[in-house]
């Protein structure tokens, strides 16, 4: 399966992919999105600690 690491799989329709090719695409997906998803779920309740107040012209 190591020969699939550098293979361009973008031109192959999903229904024509072999099981090894599907596994390789899943590995690439997890390597790309895994850290992003982990960071998203590690945030505290999704709430910002910074308070934002609406500003209107002329207000001090």
């Amino acid at each position: 399966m190591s020969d699939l690491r550098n293979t361009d799989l973008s031109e192959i329709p999903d229904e024509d992919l072999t099981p090894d090719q599907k596994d390789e695409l899943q590995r690439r997906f997890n390597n790309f999105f895994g850290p992003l998803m982990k960071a998203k779920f590690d945030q505290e309740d999704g709430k910002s600690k910074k308070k934002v107040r609406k500003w209107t012209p002329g207000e001090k």
Side-chain angles (χ1 to χ4, degrees), residues 7-27:
T7 305
D8 181 15
L9 301 173
S10 63
E11 297 295 323
I12 303 172
D14 290 344
E15 57 272 359
D16 293 340
L17 291 171
T18 66
D20 287 341
Q21 291 170 331
K22 289 178 183 179
D23 291 342
E24 176 61 19
L25 285 177
Q26 185 65 43
R27 183 197 65 79

Side-chain angles (χ1 to χ4, degrees), residues 42-53:
D42 286 347
Q43 291 176 352
E44 295 179 356
D45 300 330
K47 295 180 182 176
S48 175
K49 293 181 180 183
K50 190 181 222 182
K51 296 272 183 180
V52 178
R53 196 181 74 160

